[in-house]
Amino acid sequence: MIRPLPGRLVLIGDPVTHSLSPRFQNAALRSAAIPLQYEAIKVSAADLASVVADLAAVSATGNITIPHKVSFAALCRTLTGAAEIAGAVNTFWVENGVLHGDNTDVEGFNFAVERLLGSTPIRQTVALLGAGGAAAAVLSAANQWQETSITIWNRTREKSVAVAERFGGVRVAAVSEQAVKDATLVVNATSIGMTDDSFPVDPALIPETASVLDIVCRIGGTAWVRAARGRGLNASDGREMLIAQGAASFRRWFGLEPDVAAMRGAIGLTG
Ligand code: NAP
């Protein structure tokens, strides 16, 4: 059954113009005949708390993106288990004036990996590039996989050390080449490649039997994934994860199953 409609449905981030979420969430809203518009709003770190207070006052609901997932978690009165473990929020809603946070990136990432590997992930040697909010969701998911080891690399080393300590058993690499050396699965959870064609690591350094998941999303895919495929690697960009996390958010907001085919079509995914 559909829940009471929120006052607004928003994506909060900075930048937000690159985001594909308005395309597919608005397609799902139209398909379900829900009279709301999903709006992307640019909010700086300095303004986050006051904007969120204004949005809570109108019972808004929505998503959080780069770079606010971790700081938003601290503003929520309650967190789901997934958001608590990740320490990051990508989905929020307001009930009786109380702000709640969830993290559907964890579910979305697991879905995308299963699709890429063609099976439930097990016995993986994961190289994780990045230590922000999305990387925390990747760690939450991969930490649950059986017989799996994880090495993390991040531009700002202190952040990778902090996140590795929080999750436990995660190795920290000094350079990205070291992280990917023996990997069976390489995940880009940095924002490299989001607005240009730069690479988080040279695909030539990735073992030829490894799979590559770039969680960055772009219409037509990312240059890094194209280069990895050009080397014969099994590689996918972040659009499968994006749809899966977005569908989970939609269920959370409305208690309804979204039209996933319409969502996929809106960002050029087929099959
Ligand atoms: P975030 O919390 O702001 O973290 C950004 C990460 O990227 C940090 O590790 C940062 O390193 C790194 N980074 C940024 N610019 C860099 C550069 N020039 N060189 C090296 N590292 C750089 O952002 P986030 O929320 O984790 O999002 C990261 C990316 O994942 C974004 O592109 C986002 O759109 C994408 N994402 C996709 C999905 C999906 O469903 N497909 C879901 C979530 C996120 P420092 O710590 O050194 O700054």
Side-chain angles (χ1 to χ4, degrees):
M1 186 151 81
I2 192 162
R3 303 206 167 109
L5 286 185
R8 283 176 76 183
L9 179 56
V10 298
L11 169 68
I12 300 171
D14 185 10
V16 280
T17 45
H18 68 281
S19 175
L20 302 181
S21 293
R23 293 189 192 210
F24 70 78
Q25 290 295 6
N26 281 318
L29 290 167
R30 281 194 299 275
S31 178
I34 296 174
L36 276 174
Q37 184 75 14
Y38 182 98
E39 321 157 50
I41 53 173
K42 183 178 170 188
V43 178
S44 69
D47 291 340
L48 183 65
S50 65
V51 171
V52 169
D54 290 347
L55 288 168
V58 297
S59 294
T61 189
N63 289 125
I64 308 299
T65 190
I66 178 175
H68 300 315
K69 288 181 182 182
V70 174
S71 44
F72 189 90
L75 300 174
C76 293
R77 178 91 63 89
T78 75
L79 297 176
T80 61
E84 183 85 52
I85 291 167
V89 163
N90 81 326
T91 301
F92 73 93
W93 70 101
V94 176
E95 256 168 15
N96 303 322
V98 173
L99 184 62
H100 304 275
D102 189 11
N103 193 316
T104 65
D105 284 338
V106 181
E107 178 180 338
F109 176 71
N110 270 324
F111 177 88
V113 171
E114 287 204 28
R115 197 161 170 126
L116 177 69
L117 302 181
S119 60
T120 304
I122 179 172
R123 275 182 227 105
Q124 296 294 318
T125 303
V126 179
L128 171 60
L129 311 176
V138 170
L139 278 172
S140 301
N143 242 7
Q144 300 299 314
W145 302 345
Q146 286 173 32
E147 297 172 57
T148 291
S149 64
I150 307 169
T151 302
I152 186 170
W153 167 82
N154 189 51
R155 173 178 65 176
T156 309
R157 185 179 163 81
E158 306 81 73
K159 282 201 210 164
S160 41
V161 170
V163 95
E165 273 173 8
R166 195 154 67 76
F167 281 89
V170 176
R171 282 191 291 266
V172 176
V175 288
S176 54
E177 293 85 327
Q178 186 190 338
V180 303
K181 198 162 68 75
D182 301 314
T184 58
L185 176 66
V186 178
V187 179
N188 176 34
T190 74
S191 40
I192 299 174
M194 192 171 79
T195 54
D196 61 23
D197 286 349
S198 51
F199 294 172
V201 68
D202 182 350
L205 300 171
I206 298 173
E208 58 191 16
T209 50
S211 294
V212 168
L213 182 56
D214 188 356
I215 76 163
V216 172
C217 302
R218 286 177 73 176
I219 290 283
T222 62
W224 189 55
V225 164
R226 284 195 294 280
R229 285 186 180 147
R231 251 203 91 215
L233 298 169
N234 177 32
S236 168
D237 70 63
R239 285 174 293 170
E240 293 290 352
M241 175 177 169
L242 187 72
I243 293 295
Q245 62 79 34
S249 295
F250 191 99
R251 286 182 206 109
R252 171 66 78 187
W253 300 323
F254 302 116
L256 285 176
E257 187 56 34
D259 181 344
V260 175
M263 294 168 100
R264 293 174 66 85
I267 61 166
L269 276 179
T270 51

